[in-house]
Amino acid sequence: MLKNKTIIDKLTVEQKASLMSGKSTWESQDIPEVVPAIFMSDGPHGLRKQMGEADHLGLNESLPATCFPTAATLANSWDEGLVYQVGKCIGEEAKALGVHVVLGPGLNIKRNPKCGRNFEYYSEDPYLAGKLAASSIRGIQANGTIASPKHFAANSQEYRRMASDSIVDERTLREIYTTNFEIAVKEGQPKSIMSSYNLVNGAYANEDSYLLRDILKDEWGFKGFVVSDWGGDNDHTAGVKNGSHLAMPTLGKNGTLELIESVKNGKLDEAVLDQRVDEFLTVVNSVDVSPADGTIDWTQHHEVAKKAAMESVVLLKNEDNVLPLDKTKKVAVIGDFAQTPRYQGAGSSVVNAKNLETTLDVIGNYPLTVSGFAKGYERGGRSNDQLVNEALALAKKSDVILLYAGLDEILESEGMDRTTIDMPKNQLALIQELAETGKPIIVALSAGSVVECSWENKVQGILHGYLGGEAGASAMLEVICGQHNPSGKLNETYPLTYQDVPFGKEFPAKGRYAYYKEGIYVGYRYYDTAKKAVRYPFGYGLSYSSFQYSDLQITKTGIKAVITNTSETAGAEIVQLYVSNPSSTLLRPEKELKGFTKVFLQPKESQTIEIAFDDKTFRYYDVKSRSWKTEAGEYKIMLASSVQDIRLEGQLQVEGTKPESTLLQPKYQRVALEEVTLEDFAELYGKQLPHEEATGQRLLDRTSIIAEMSQAKNPLARLVHRIIRSLLKRSEKKGKPDLNLLFISNMPFRAIAKMTNGMVSLAMVDEMLVMVNGHFFKGFAGLIKQFFQNRKLQKSN
């Protein structure tokens, strides 16, 4: 039964079809006096509302907004209440600025540390990611603003992101890559969700009925609307038919006409179109579209941003208690990041920060004896002996070195994956030079994701602030000076070297298919089960306090335990619940996170904490029945300070069923992932794997990316590709990648029609492909013809 039948009955097919794509880059289509337009804005960690020339890559300026810590930073707080506060502030700013839909949070799984967008995502663990995303959603939607968590689903690389097919076995898809979204949807109740660019097992996520209808709507009870990522609409009819509601940005009149024609020829049942319109209107008609008043409590939001950054700082090393800093020591402040902070990522999430702090501006507010500042290094990795010598001179006349270091902006961006997890060579060289002075070194790290830390033995202290937002500078100084006790813990594993990352050499997948050969062994699930040494384990983080765990009680509904602060310093501890089934007949990780809580304790104080079991504590996904089941057996219940620091454990007999006999692949059973071949993965996958096309010149189609013009039959097309590649390399050498060119290079041909506001039709794209495929003059003539036809169409009423 349609909820908005009275409205829908009054609409023409054309009007209904028009609602299924946007009116502009950021607005949905309206029907005067019937359906209002809603305004959307990027906003995972702060609003990016553009008022001038619009783009979806963060290139053009937006209105000022509070820049909160990124998701990767917030996840280190493990604090659902804090994440809710940040979401609530973002929702308030959205309402004040006339934004109805906040495009976030991002909660994809960090499958590989090189993914260029990891700074926008919470964790390698789906439970942690889902819980924090649910809190963010509830905060954003507290005042009626709509949250749109993204990108659903299995979106794990930026290279070829609009035309990469994630080939992932069913159990892994459900346990790792959709459990995060399941928690977010069920507990956060978002009114929208954004589909991802990529394909999943052969189907574009934006037109995959299994993802969008069977799982999202029917199984999880999602009641909102699905919006495509910008340009992520592949086949508009298939998208609407299979559960997508809104293709963004605008498709112009072409999108409307495509749906009208599909209704006429039977490809799309008008009843299905009515259902999508009904689902969309149910949300849109609940939105308050009254004029925004622009009132924002900037001071209060800045304080929330500071608190969020403080709670998310992770103390990785504190040799001989070098931290907090002694205020009588002369401190050399070194590093360009102290002068020009690295506080957010690059791309669509870029926020025009309202009140950006720098360390040099605020350090005078703290009890430190600063002997001076030296820049130390240049961004972009270029060596500069003069800067190094200035830093060394300052260090030699100081008692301790406070070095601000990490990853440059060029190394973490939407649209490109990282080529290495190493820090820039000039920074590594500077650490070596400073270490030779013999002065204690404290490194304040700024990076949105994993960095290789083999240099840790050259320094005495490491504080990782990730990307701390506009108040990250003062937040870090609060911790350095001991005015705030660090309590953050890592949301991801730091391997010893990138060589330890399973199938790291295959990331990002360069061809059409990204084979998820590691299966369920993602992040700590791999390192912990394979007994692989790591630099810093998942859930790790030091404190200025020490904590004791005792009196574990396990019942059928959850656990209780006593946590005691055994130190003289007040502090907070993040207690992590892990569950294991040692006698399982299934492929299972050594242990899995199934709960957590954060407890603040005064010196010598004890508190009893409780963590309840839920429907995800003991379950596994049974591929044969396509349902969740519980395996009977004696489970190990563990309370831990990190995945490798188990403080208390006990057993619990759990009722359930015995899995049907399952063929256990020996290499997966031994977690010998370095031995796994495509043939082994095919056995896990359960069906024949798709294979890459042969290299060399070939015919390109709508789904081929622009970069594949290197294989085009037309030499002019190959020349255009070489020019694009040359310009990209030139921009990278300058230290600032051209995001527009990167996007174009990775864009499939059909996206030319999807991203040009109706100026280019799919018929025009087809003629371009005729040209690219070796029939230049024929294609050119067809392109001119289709150009005029499309222009006439766009001008018609």
Side-chain angles (χ1 to χ4, degrees):
M1 182 68 180
L2 300 178
K3 295 181 180 179
N4 303 279
K5 190 174 187 304
T6 303
I7 297 175
I8 293 171
D9 285 347
K10 295 177 182 178
L11 300 180
T12 64
V13 174
E14 180 178 0
Q15 287 175 317
K16 290 184 287 190
S18 72
L19 293 172
M20 298 291 96
S21 65
K23 179 170 71 173
S24 64
T25 303
W26 299 114
E27 286 182 288
S28 68
Q29 183 65 51
D30 63 326
I31 298 174
E33 300 181 8
V34 180
V35 181
I38 54 174
F39 194 97
M40 289 158 269
S41 172
D42 285 310
H45 56 271
L47 282 188
R48 189 177 73 88
K49 182 177 183 182
Q50 293 179 310
M51 296 304 291
E53 188 175 350
D55 75 279
H56 72 292
L57 294 173
L59 302 177
N60 298 318
E61 194 157 303
S62 55
L63 293 177
T66 305
C67 183
F68 295 93
T70 66
T73 315
L74 287 173
N76 291 334
S77 75
W78 296 59
D79 190 331
E80 295 172 77
L82 180 66
V83 174
Y84 174 88
Q85 288 181 44
V86 170
K88 190 168 183 289
C89 290
I90 291 173
E92 288 172 0
E93 293 192 19
K95 197 169 188 68
L97 297 177
V99 170
H100 307 115
V101 181
V102 173
L103 301 173
L107 67 150
N108 291 102
I109 296 300
K110 301 179 186 184
R111 176 180 174 237
N112 183 289
K114 281 187 182 178
C115 175
R117 215 166 175 180
N118 276 352
F119 65 88
E120 280 192 60
Y121 302 144
Y122 290 112
S123 180
E124 67 188 29
D125 180 82
Y127 192 87
L128 179 59
K131 286 288 186 179
L132 296 180
S135 296
S136 175
I137 292 163
R138 289 194 296 269
I140 291 169
Q141 296 191 160
N143 68 355
T145 301
I146 295 171
S148 187
K150 60 187 186 183
H151 310 87
F152 186 58
N155 176 222
S156 304
Q157 68 178 58
E158 288 298 284
Y159 181 75
R160 286 191 65 112
R161 62 180 180 165
M162 297 179 81
S164 176
D165 193 348
S166 300
I167 306 301
V168 52
D169 70 276
E170 180 73 7
R171 185 175 167 212
T172 298
L173 177 67
R174 298 307 310 272
E175 292 189 11
I176 304 294
Y177 297 101
T178 60
T179 289
N180 46 342
F181 285 97
E182 177 186 359
I183 296 170
V185 167
K186 287 182 175 179
E187 298 183 14
Q189 294 291 309
K191 294 182 179 179
S192 174
I193 196 166
M194 183 190 288
S195 59
S196 56
Y197 281 131
N198 54 287
L199 300 89
V200 180
N201 294 330
Y204 278 96
N206 189 60
E207 55 196 54
D208 186 345
S209 62
Y210 178 55
L211 284 177
L212 302 185
R213 305 306 290 181
D214 297 351
I215 296 176
L216 181 61
K217 185 167 179 63
D218 297 340
E219 185 180 328
W220 298 347
F222 177 67
K223 294 181 174 63
F225 68 85
V226 175
V227 59
S228 75
D229 203 342
W230 268 231
D233 175 72
N234 173 56
D235 182 324
H236 192 41
T237 297
V240 172
K241 180 179 179 179
N242 293 314
S244 183
H245 302 83
L246 181 60
M248 291 296 292
T250 177
L251 302 180
K253 293 187 177 179
N254 298 318
T256 300
L257 291 178
E258 179 182 338
L259 294 185
I260 293 172
E261 181 60 28
S262 293
V263 169
K264 286 180 179 178
N265 64 27
K267 285 179 65 178
L268 177 64
D269 190 328
E270 188 173 354
V272 173
L273 176 60
D274 288 349
Q275 186 180 359
R276 295 297 168 270
V277 171
D278 185 56
E279 291 161 350
F280 183 59
L281 290 184
T282 299
V283 178
V284 172
N285 286 339
S286 70
V287 175
D288 178 6
V289 293
S290 57
D293 63 11
T295 303
I296 296 171
D297 189 338
W298 295 111
T299 301
Q300 189 258 339
H301 287 194
H302 186 79
E303 286 303 309
V304 171
K306 180 178 176 179
K307 180 184 178 183
M310 283 194 301
E311 294 291 337
S312 303
V313 171
V314 184
L315 177 59
L316 295 176
K317 184 174 184 179
N318 195 18
E319 186 178 302
D320 299 326
N321 293 319
V322 68
L323 286 164
L325 273 181
D326 183 340
K327 63 182 179 182
T328 66
K329 301 284 188 182
K330 291 186 291 184
V331 180
V333 178
I334 297 173
D336 187 36
F337 289 177
Q339 178 176 255
T340 306
R342 173 80 210 289
Y343 63 100
Q344 65 176 328
S348 63
S349 65
V350 167
V351 177
N352 179 13
K354 173 68 174 177
N355 294 306
L356 177 62
E357 299 176 351
T358 75
T359 298
L360 296 186
D361 285 342
V362 300
I363 199 167
N365 301 329
Y366 292 88
L368 292 175
T369 304
V370 178
S371 55
F373 166 73
K375 186 176 179 180
Y377 57 84
E378 290 187 36
R379 274 167 156 85
R382 292 178 294 274
S383 58
N384 186 318
D385 291 341
Q386 181 181 341
L387 293 182
V388 173
N389 291 333
E390 290 171 358
L392 290 173
L394 178 61
K396 288 172 183 176
K397 66 178 185 181
S398 306
D399 299 317
V400 62
I401 299 164
L402 179 54
L403 175 63
Y404 284 80
L407 298 180
D408 298 345
E409 288 84 350
I410 186 177
L411 299 176
E412 294 183 289
S413 173
E414 176 184 359
M416 59 184 288
D417 295 303
R418 295 163 64 186
T419 58
T420 176
I421 64 169
D422 293 345
M423 283 167 51
K425 290 182 180 178
N426 60 347
Q427 292 189 37
L428 296 175
L430 178 61
I431 291 174
Q432 177 63 42
E433 294 268 13
L434 291 173
E436 291 175 6
T437 68
K439 301 295 176 73
I441 301 172
I442 297 161
V443 176
L445 269 179
S446 295
S449 51
V450 169
V451 290
E452 203 272 354
C453 295
S454 57
W455 44 267
E456 69 166 356
N457 61 349
K458 296 180 173 64
V459 305
Q460 285 64 49
I462 305 174
L463 283 165
H464 200 342
Y466 270 60
L467 300 178
E470 66 176 42
S474 59
M476 181 63 76
L477 286 167
E478 295 276 349
V479 175
I480 288 169
C481 297
Q483 295 178 359
H484 181 80
N485 191 347
S487 61
K489 297 198 175 188
L490 294 176
N491 65 75
E492 57 192 333
T493 305
Y494 277 55
L496 288 173
T497 69
Y498 184 71
Q499 284 66 41
D500 294 328
V501 177
F503 307 110
K505 291 180 179 179
E506 299 177 19
F507 185 93
K510 298 298 184 184
R512 186 176 294 266
Y513 303 108
Y515 301 111
Y516 284 45
K517 291 194 286 188
E518 67 280 357
I520 59 173
Y521 296 113
V522 177
Y524 73 85
R525 285 169 166 77
Y526 165 66
Y527 299 106
D528 195 45
T529 311
K531 305 295 187 288
K532 194 91 170 176
V534 300
R535 183 78 58 190
Y536 305 115
F538 175 81
Y540 171 82
L542 303 174
S543 169
Y544 298 153
S545 304
S546 54
F547 301 95
Q548 183 182 73
Y549 293 46
S550 62
D551 303 326
L552 175 64
Q553 299 176 49
I554 303 173
T555 68
K556 290 185 177 181
T557 59
I559 65 94
K560 290 183 180 180
V562 175
I563 312 298
T564 302
N565 182 348
T566 57
S567 72
E568 301 297 329
T569 305
E573 171 70 340
I574 297 166
V575 182
Q576 300 156 45
L577 170 68
Y578 293 92
V579 171
S580 171
N581 184 353
S583 61
S584 176
T585 60
L586 298 163
L587 286 176
R588 273 198 155 166
E590 179 75 15
K591 61 179 79 80
E592 296 180 276
L593 181 75
K594 296 296 181 180
F596 57 90
T597 190
K598 192 169 187 174
V599 56
F600 180 83
L601 298 167
Q602 295 293 336
K604 308 302 181 181
E605 182 187 3
S606 296
Q607 278 190 35
T608 299
I609 60 102
E610 297 184 37
I611 301 176
F613 299 147
D614 60 23
D615 63 334
K616 296 164 191 69
T617 306
F618 304 108
R619 75 178 190 177
Y620 73 95
Y621 189 76
D622 181 64
V623 176
K624 289 186 177 179
S625 65
R626 304 195 93 175
S627 64
W628 295 99
K629 291 186 176 180
T630 297
E631 182 181 17
E634 187 173 76
Y635 284 74
K636 190 185 292 186
I637 310 297
M638 295 160 276
L639 280 191
S641 187
S642 81
V643 73
Q644 289 189 1
D645 185 6
I646 307 301
R647 300 293 182 90
L648 298 171
E649 66 177 72
Q651 283 73 39
L652 178 67
Q653 190 69 36
V654 176
E655 296 179 358
T657 58
K658 183 178 180 181
E660 296 179 34
S661 57
T662 306
L663 180 64
L664 292 178
Q665 298 82 355
K667 294 173 185 176
Y668 284 103
Q669 200 169 11
R670 301 196 317 269
V671 203
L673 297 188
E674 66 280 358
E675 300 175 18
V676 168
T677 64
L678 265 183
E679 288 72 24
D680 298 317
F681 176 57
E683 190 177 348
L684 183 71
Y685 188 57
K687 51 187 173 182
Q688 187 173 352
L689 292 173
H691 288 282
E692 300 292 347
E693 298 175 5
T695 56
Q697 292 182 17
R698 60 184 178 84
L699 294 176
L700 304 186
D701 59 31
R702 288 181 180 181
T703 63
S704 302
I705 65 171
I706 303 299
E708 288 178 294
M709 285 199 298
S710 62
Q711 298 172 267
K713 291 183 177 294
N714 187 334
L716 284 175
R718 298 197 297 273
L719 175 63
V720 169
H721 168 261
R722 286 196 294 272
I723 292 171
I724 292 174
R725 188 174 60 181
S726 174
L727 291 172
L728 274 173
K729 287 184 177 180
R730 191 182 304 173
S731 69
E732 289 170 7
K733 283 182 180 179
K734 291 179 180 178
K736 189 174 182 181
D738 189 319
L739 292 183
N740 257 331
L741 277 178
L742 268 170
F743 183 80
I744 291 169
S745 181
N746 279 302
M747 184 174 74
F749 277 88
R750 52 96 180 157
I752 299 172
K754 306 292 183 176
M755 296 295 293
T756 51
N757 297 348
M759 290 173 58
V760 177
S761 66
L762 282 170
M764 291 170 65
V765 170
D766 289 338
E767 297 299 341
M768 293 177 195
L769 285 163
V770 172
M771 296 165 63
V772 166
N773 286 327
H775 302 283
F776 180 83
F777 293 107
K778 178 183 177 182
F780 184 73
L783 178 62
I784 297 299
K785 178 182 177 182
Q786 292 298 333
F787 168 79
F788 284 109
Q789 285 188 5
N790 187 60
R791 189 168 72 166
K792 181 179 178 181
L793 171 67
Q794 299 304 320
K795 288 182 177 180
S796 65
N797 291 324

